[in-house]
């Protein structure tokens, strides 16, 4: 069974640009979450999607957005990039809907975004 | 907001030794999870704990969910070189979302 797949693995962007990251969850998983990982702040929750609806959002500015498609694949977008957005962006999927059942998150290998 | 204090930050041990790391929180969590992250990869789930007092093993790994629901520990027995990596604890509140709060990680180095 394939794991969580994230593309691309690496991205280099310039300040002010925007970027879109993609995530394909484990087959059968319908809940997708996004996390940002930086050396200074560690792993921080961005948002969670289920059934194409955002169920929860972390404490990030509105420049960070996401969406989920009917096949459970998800994308996140960061607009007007800042140097501080440089990070590893991790996608995770889960079998059960939010709030239902004990279903841990399984992470992909992330997209390494560098903003210059 | 919720915060997890994970200790130690780093450990250097000899191959074959046992390792212990723990996480404490000022808040109660309903679920505790332990992940391991290797360089260039995402966190991999090691153990999930769902009940206060629960003790769960996965091979050489053993983790416990504290009775107060504010802490958890992870033990690794008879360490081997492939145990090298960063270990994260994560707490989760059951409810309408599956948001995880992560500890800052324990960097484990196993010396031959």
């Amino acid at each position: 069974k394939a794991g969580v797949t994230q593309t691309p693995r690496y991205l280099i962007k310039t300040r002010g640009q925007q970027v879109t990251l993609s995530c394909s969850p484990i087959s059968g998983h319908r809940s997708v979450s996004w996390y940002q990982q930086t050396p200074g702040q560690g792993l921080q929750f961005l948002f969670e999607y289920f059934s194409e609806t955002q169920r929860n959002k972390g404490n990030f500015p509105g420049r960070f957005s996401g969406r989920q498609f009917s096949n459970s694949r998800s994308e996140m977008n960061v607009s007007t990039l800042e140097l501080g957005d440089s990070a590893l962006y991790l996608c995770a999927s889960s079998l059960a809907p939010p709030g239902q059942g004990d279903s841990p998150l399984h992470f992909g290998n992330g997209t390494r975004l560098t903003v210059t | 907001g919720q915060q997890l204090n994970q200790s130690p930050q780093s450990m250097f041990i000899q191959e074959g030794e046992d390792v212990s790391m723990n996480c404490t929180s000022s808040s109660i969590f309903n679920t505790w999870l332990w992940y391991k992250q290797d360089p260039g990869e995402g966190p991999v789930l090691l153990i999930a704990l769902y009940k206060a007092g629960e003790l769960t093993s996965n091979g050489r790994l053993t983790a416990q969910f504290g009775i107060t629901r504010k802490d958890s520990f992870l033990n690794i027995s008879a360490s081997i070189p492939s145990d090298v990596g960063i270990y994260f604890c994560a707490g989760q509140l059951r409810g309408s979302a599956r948001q995880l709060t992560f500890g800052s990680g324990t960097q484990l180095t196993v010396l031959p």
Side-chain angles (χ1 to χ4, degrees):
Chain A
K1 198 174 190 181
V4 177
T5 304
Q6 292 188 245
T7 57
R9 284 299 307 271
Y10 302 93
L11 265 179
I12 300 176
K13 290 285 187 179
T14 305
R15 268 183 303 176
Q17 289 186 315
Q18 76 165 23
V19 66
T20 299
L21 313 180
S22 180
C23 171
S24 293
I26 292 172
S27 178
H29 286 197
R30 295 164 59 197
S31 178
V32 173
S33 300
W34 289 88
Y35 286 78
Q36 181 197 63
Q37 186 175 27
T38 60
Q41 299 298 318
L43 283 145
Q44 293 189 290
F45 172 75
L46 280 158
F47 23 65
E48 179 180 20
Y49 287 88
F50 180 78
S51 291
E52 303 175 64
T53 302
Q54 187 179 91
R55 297 304 180 100
N56 194 22
K57 189 175 183 349
N59 189 25
F60 279 82
R63 300 184 297 106
F64 291 81
S65 63
R67 59 178 177 168
Q68 187 181 33
F69 302 95
S70 58
N71 61 0
S72 296
R73 193 176 66 84
S74 177
E75 289 180 348
M76 68 163 281
N77 184 277
V78 188
S79 62
T80 320
L81 284 166
E82 301 177 359
L83 295 178
D85 296 334
S86 294
L88 180 66
Y89 289 89
L90 292 161
C91 172
S93 72
S94 179
L95 181 61
Q100 294 186 26
D102 298 324
S103 180
L105 292 180
H106 296 271
F107 286 84
N109 285 332
T111 293
R112 173 74 63 185
L113 172 65
T114 302
V115 182
T116 61
Chain B
Q2 298 142 354
Q3 288 190 342
L4 291 185
N5 297 310
Q6 185 171 350
S7 63
Q9 274 192 318
S10 62
M11 300 182 73
F12 292 81
I13 62 170
Q14 295 291 138
E15 184 176 352
E17 288 185 345
D18 297 344
V19 173
S20 184
M21 58 192 78
N22 69 85
C23 275
T24 59
S25 170
S26 57
S27 304
I28 289 175
F29 287 106
N30 298 115
T31 299
W32 282 94
L33 304 162
W34 285 92
Y35 288 87
K36 177 176 181 260
Q37 187 173 28
D38 292 328
E41 299 184 5
V44 174
L45 181 67
L46 298 174
I47 292 180
L49 302 158
Y50 300 108
K51 292 181 183 177
E54 179 181 357
L55 185 70
T56 297
S57 293
N58 178 9
R60 294 179 296 105
L61 277 60
T62 301
Q64 184 156 31
F65 190 145
I67 290 179
T68 64
R69 295 198 287 160
K70 292 184 178 182
D71 63 308
S72 177
F73 72 75
L74 175 70
N75 286 342
I76 305 173
S77 63
S79 58
I80 59 178
S82 62
D83 291 334
V84 167
I86 303 177
Y87 291 79
F88 291 97
C89 63
Q92 179 183 329
L93 290 170
R94 280 187 204 141
S96 60
R98 193 167 285 111
Q99 178 176 343
L100 296 183
T101 300
F102 280 87
S104 54
T106 295
Q107 172 74 62
L108 178 64
T109 302
V110 180
L111 304 172

